[in-house]
Structures are given as C-alpha cells and as structure tokens.
Short mmCIF file of all heavy atoms in Angstrom, two decimals:
data_model
loop_
_atom_site.label_atom_id
_atom_site.label_comp_id
_atom_site.label_asym_id
_atom_site.label_seq_id
_atom_site.Cartn_x
_atom_site.Cartn_y
_atom_site.Cartn_z
N GLY I 21 -7.61 2.89 -47.88
CA GLY I 21 -6.62 1.90 -48.29
C GLY I 21 -5.80 2.34 -49.49
O GLY I 21 -4.80 1.76 -49.81
N GLY I 22 -6.28 3.37 -50.12
CA GLY I 22 -5.57 3.87 -51.37
C GLY I 22 -4.43 4.77 -51.08
O GLY I 22 -4.03 4.97 -49.90
N SER I 23 -3.87 5.34 -52.15
CA SER I 23 -2.70 6.17 -52.07
C SER I 23 -2.88 7.45 -52.88
O SER I 23 -3.61 7.47 -53.86
CB SER I 23 -1.43 5.41 -52.56
OG SER I 23 -1.20 4.28 -51.85
N LEU I 24 -2.19 8.49 -52.48
CA LEU I 24 -2.05 9.75 -53.21
C LEU I 24 -0.68 10.31 -53.00
O LEU I 24 -0.05 10.06 -51.98
CB LEU I 24 -3.12 10.81 -52.71
CG LEU I 24 -4.57 10.65 -53.14
CD1 LEU I 24 -5.38 11.74 -52.44
CD2 LEU I 24 -4.68 10.83 -54.65
N ARG I 25 -0.24 11.07 -54.02
CA ARG I 25 1.01 11.78 -53.84
C ARG I 25 0.72 13.31 -54.00
O ARG I 25 0.29 13.70 -55.09
CB ARG I 25 2.06 11.31 -54.81
CG ARG I 25 3.44 11.95 -54.46
CD ARG I 25 4.57 11.46 -55.40
NE ARG I 25 4.55 12.11 -56.66
CZ ARG I 25 5.62 12.24 -57.49
NH1 ARG I 25 6.80 11.75 -57.05
NH2 ARG I 25 5.55 12.83 -58.65
N LEU I 26 1.04 14.05 -53.02
CA LEU I 26 0.90 15.49 -53.11
C LEU I 26 2.27 16.09 -53.49
O LEU I 26 3.33 15.60 -53.15
CB LEU I 26 0.52 16.10 -51.73
CG LEU I 26 -0.78 15.50 -51.09
CD1 LEU I 26 -1.01 16.31 -49.77
CD2 LEU I 26 -1.93 15.61 -52.03
N SER I 27 2.14 17.22 -54.24
CA SER I 27 3.35 17.96 -54.66
C SER I 27 3.24 19.36 -54.21
O SER I 27 2.11 19.91 -54.19
CB SER I 27 3.53 17.90 -56.21
OG SER I 27 3.72 16.52 -56.67
N CYS I 28 4.29 19.97 -53.94
CA CYS I 28 4.38 21.38 -53.60
C CYS I 28 5.54 22.06 -54.36
O CYS I 28 6.69 21.72 -54.04
CB CYS I 28 4.54 21.57 -52.10
SG CYS I 28 4.77 23.29 -51.58
N ALA I 29 5.25 22.85 -55.34
CA ALA I 29 6.28 23.56 -56.07
C ALA I 29 6.53 24.90 -55.47
O ALA I 29 5.62 25.69 -55.20
CB ALA I 29 5.77 23.73 -57.54
N ALA I 30 7.80 25.17 -55.27
CA ALA I 30 8.19 26.44 -54.60
C ALA I 30 8.99 27.35 -55.54
O ALA I 30 9.70 26.81 -56.46
CB ALA I 30 9.07 26.16 -53.43
N SER I 31 8.78 28.62 -55.46
CA SER I 31 9.59 29.63 -56.19
C SER I 31 10.83 29.89 -55.43
O SER I 31 10.95 29.51 -54.26
CB SER I 31 8.81 30.84 -56.42
OG SER I 31 8.46 31.51 -55.21
N GLY I 32 11.78 30.56 -56.08
CA GLY I 32 13.00 30.99 -55.41
C GLY I 32 14.19 30.20 -55.83
O GLY I 32 14.07 29.05 -56.27
N SER I 33 15.35 30.82 -55.64
CA SER I 33 16.54 30.22 -56.11
C SER I 33 17.34 29.50 -54.97
O SER I 33 18.37 28.83 -55.28
CB SER I 33 17.54 31.29 -56.71
OG SER I 33 17.76 32.24 -55.73
N ARG I 34 16.77 29.55 -53.79
CA ARG I 34 17.48 28.93 -52.65
C ARG I 34 16.68 27.75 -52.08
O ARG I 34 16.80 27.41 -50.90
CB ARG I 34 17.73 29.95 -51.56
CG ARG I 34 18.59 31.15 -51.99
CD ARG I 34 20.07 30.67 -52.18
NE ARG I 34 20.60 29.99 -51.05
CZ ARG I 34 21.12 30.54 -49.89
NH1 ARG I 34 21.13 31.87 -49.81
NH2 ARG I 34 21.59 29.80 -48.98
N PHE I 35 15.93 27.11 -52.94
CA PHE I 35 15.01 26.04 -52.41
C PHE I 35 15.74 24.97 -51.65
O PHE I 35 15.21 24.48 -50.66
CB PHE I 35 14.27 25.37 -53.62
CG PHE I 35 13.40 24.21 -53.19
CD1 PHE I 35 12.19 24.44 -52.63
CD2 PHE I 35 13.82 22.89 -53.37
CE1 PHE I 35 11.37 23.41 -52.23
CE2 PHE I 35 12.99 21.89 -52.99
CZ PHE I 35 11.77 22.10 -52.41
N SER I 36 16.94 24.62 -52.06
CA SER I 36 17.65 23.56 -51.37
C SER I 36 17.92 23.85 -49.89
O SER I 36 18.18 23.00 -49.08
CB SER I 36 18.98 23.25 -52.10
OG SER I 36 19.84 24.41 -52.06
N ALA I 37 17.87 25.17 -49.53
CA ALA I 37 18.07 25.60 -48.17
C ALA I 37 16.79 25.71 -47.38
O ALA I 37 16.87 25.99 -46.16
CB ALA I 37 18.80 26.89 -48.16
N TYR I 38 15.61 25.59 -48.01
CA TYR I 38 14.36 25.75 -47.33
C TYR I 38 14.03 24.57 -46.40
O TYR I 38 14.25 23.39 -46.85
CB TYR I 38 13.20 25.89 -48.29
CG TYR I 38 13.24 27.02 -49.24
CD1 TYR I 38 12.27 27.12 -50.26
CD2 TYR I 38 14.23 28.02 -49.19
CE1 TYR I 38 12.25 28.13 -51.22
CE2 TYR I 38 14.23 29.04 -50.16
CZ TYR I 38 13.27 29.11 -51.11
OH TYR I 38 13.25 30.15 -52.01
N TYR I 39 13.59 24.84 -45.24
CA TYR I 39 12.85 23.89 -44.45
C TYR I 39 11.47 23.76 -45.06
O TYR I 39 10.82 24.75 -45.24
CB TYR I 39 12.81 24.31 -43.02
CG TYR I 39 11.82 23.60 -42.15
CD1 TYR I 39 12.25 22.45 -41.44
CD2 TYR I 39 10.51 24.04 -41.99
CE1 TYR I 39 11.37 21.79 -40.65
CE2 TYR I 39 9.69 23.36 -41.15
CZ TYR I 39 10.07 22.19 -40.49
OH TYR I 39 9.19 21.50 -39.67
N MET I 40 11.01 22.54 -45.33
CA MET I 40 9.70 22.33 -45.93
C MET I 40 8.87 21.37 -45.07
O MET I 40 9.40 20.42 -44.43
CB MET I 40 9.87 21.70 -47.33
CG MET I 40 10.64 22.54 -48.30
SD MET I 40 9.87 24.12 -48.68
CE MET I 40 8.34 23.57 -49.43
N ALA I 41 7.59 21.59 -45.03
CA ALA I 41 6.72 20.75 -44.23
C ALA I 41 5.34 20.67 -44.80
O ALA I 41 4.92 21.52 -45.71
CB ALA I 41 6.63 21.32 -42.81
N TRP I 42 4.58 19.68 -44.42
CA TRP I 42 3.15 19.49 -44.70
C TRP I 42 2.37 19.57 -43.40
O TRP I 42 2.77 18.99 -42.38
CB TRP I 42 2.88 18.20 -45.45
CG TRP I 42 3.40 18.15 -46.83
CD1 TRP I 42 4.60 17.61 -47.18
CD2 TRP I 42 2.72 18.60 -47.99
NE1 TRP I 42 4.71 17.73 -48.59
CE2 TRP I 42 3.56 18.33 -49.08
CE3 TRP I 42 1.48 19.20 -48.29
CZ2 TRP I 42 3.22 18.64 -50.41
CZ3 TRP I 42 1.16 19.50 -49.53
CH2 TRP I 42 2.03 19.21 -50.61
N TYR I 43 1.27 20.29 -43.47
CA TYR I 43 0.29 20.38 -42.38
C TYR I 43 -1.05 19.99 -42.93
O TYR I 43 -1.26 20.02 -44.20
CB TYR I 43 0.20 21.77 -41.78
CG TYR I 43 1.38 22.17 -40.93
CD1 TYR I 43 2.63 22.41 -41.45
CD2 TYR I 43 1.20 22.19 -39.54
CE1 TYR I 43 3.70 22.80 -40.64
CE2 TYR I 43 2.28 22.56 -38.69
CZ TYR I 43 3.51 22.85 -39.25
OH TYR I 43 4.54 23.18 -38.47
N ARG I 44 -2.03 19.71 -42.08
CA ARG I 44 -3.32 19.44 -42.57
C ARG I 44 -4.38 19.97 -41.53
O ARG I 44 -4.14 20.04 -40.37
CB ARG I 44 -3.59 17.95 -42.82
CG ARG I 44 -3.53 17.03 -41.54
CD ARG I 44 -3.61 15.58 -41.97
NE ARG I 44 -3.64 14.72 -40.77
CZ ARG I 44 -3.59 13.38 -40.82
NH1 ARG I 44 -3.56 12.79 -42.03
NH2 ARG I 44 -3.59 12.69 -39.77
N GLN I 45 -5.55 20.27 -42.13
CA GLN I 45 -6.59 20.79 -41.27
C GLN I 45 -7.93 20.17 -41.72
O GLN I 45 -8.38 20.36 -42.83
CB GLN I 45 -6.71 22.35 -41.40
CG GLN I 45 -7.67 22.95 -40.43
CD GLN I 45 -7.52 24.49 -40.36
OE1 GLN I 45 -6.90 25.12 -41.24
NE2 GLN I 45 -8.00 25.05 -39.34
N ALA I 46 -8.49 19.43 -40.80
CA ALA I 46 -9.81 18.85 -41.05
C ALA I 46 -10.89 19.80 -40.61
O ALA I 46 -10.63 20.75 -39.82
CB ALA I 46 -9.91 17.57 -40.23
N PRO I 47 -12.10 19.69 -41.14
CA PRO I 47 -13.16 20.66 -40.83
C PRO I 47 -13.41 20.74 -39.31
O PRO I 47 -13.53 19.69 -38.65
CB PRO I 47 -14.39 20.03 -41.53
CG PRO I 47 -13.77 19.25 -42.65
CD PRO I 47 -12.50 18.70 -42.14
N GLY I 48 -13.44 21.99 -38.82
CA GLY I 48 -13.70 22.14 -37.45
C GLY I 48 -12.56 21.87 -36.47
O GLY I 48 -12.72 21.88 -35.28
N LYS I 49 -11.37 21.57 -37.02
CA LYS I 49 -10.25 21.22 -36.25
C LYS I 49 -9.06 22.22 -36.49
O LYS I 49 -9.05 22.92 -37.50
CB LYS I 49 -9.82 19.80 -36.49
CG LYS I 49 -10.88 18.77 -36.09
CD LYS I 49 -10.29 17.30 -36.12
CE LYS I 49 -11.32 16.37 -35.61
NZ LYS I 49 -10.78 14.99 -35.61
N GLN I 50 -8.09 22.17 -35.65
CA GLN I 50 -6.94 23.00 -35.83
C GLN I 50 -6.04 22.39 -36.88
O GLN I 50 -6.11 21.29 -37.28
CB GLN I 50 -6.16 23.10 -34.52
CG GLN I 50 -5.50 21.81 -34.03
CD GLN I 50 -4.82 21.97 -32.71
OE1 GLN I 50 -5.04 22.91 -31.94
NE2 GLN I 50 -3.89 21.05 -32.45
N ARG I 51 -5.10 23.27 -37.38
CA ARG I 51 -4.14 22.79 -38.35
C ARG I 51 -3.04 22.03 -37.64
O ARG I 51 -2.46 22.51 -36.70
CB ARG I 51 -3.56 24.01 -39.07
CG ARG I 51 -2.69 23.65 -40.27
CD ARG I 51 -2.27 24.89 -41.06
NE ARG I 51 -3.41 25.67 -41.56
CZ ARG I 51 -3.28 26.69 -42.41
NH1 ARG I 51 -2.04 27.04 -42.82
NH2 ARG I 51 -4.34 27.32 -42.88
N ASP I 52 -2.77 20.81 -38.12
CA ASP I 52 -1.85 19.91 -37.40
C ASP I 52 -0.61 19.66 -38.35
O ASP I 52 -0.73 19.53 -39.60
CB ASP I 52 -2.49 18.55 -37.08
CG ASP I 52 -3.52 18.71 -36.00
OD1 ASP I 52 -3.35 19.59 -35.15
OD2 ASP I 52 -4.51 17.93 -36.01
#
C-alpha cells in the first residue's frame, strides 16, 4: 500500500533524445 520513487541518472549530453524505460525482474522470473 506504500509508495516509492525510483530515480535513474544518465550520463551523456543527448539525454533529451534518449528513449528511457524501467524493467523489473523478480527472483526466478524473466525480466519484464
């Protein structure tokens, strides 16, 4: 029921052009 905020800091001067995504992988499962 709680909340968290994840952050991902990227290097590079063209960040605004990057496609960005989040994936997750639970134990014993594929990355989704």
Side-chain angles (χ1 to χ4, degrees):
S23 299
L24 281 175
R25 189 177 79 156
L26 306 183
S27 300
C28 172
S31 64
S33 60
R34 298 290 308 277
F35 177 78
S36 62
Y38 298 173
Y39 166 90
M40 300 296 298
W42 289 94
Y43 284 74
R44 66 186 182 185
Q45 188 167 18
K49 296 189 176 181
Q50 66 182 20
R51 191 174 298 188
D52 289 330

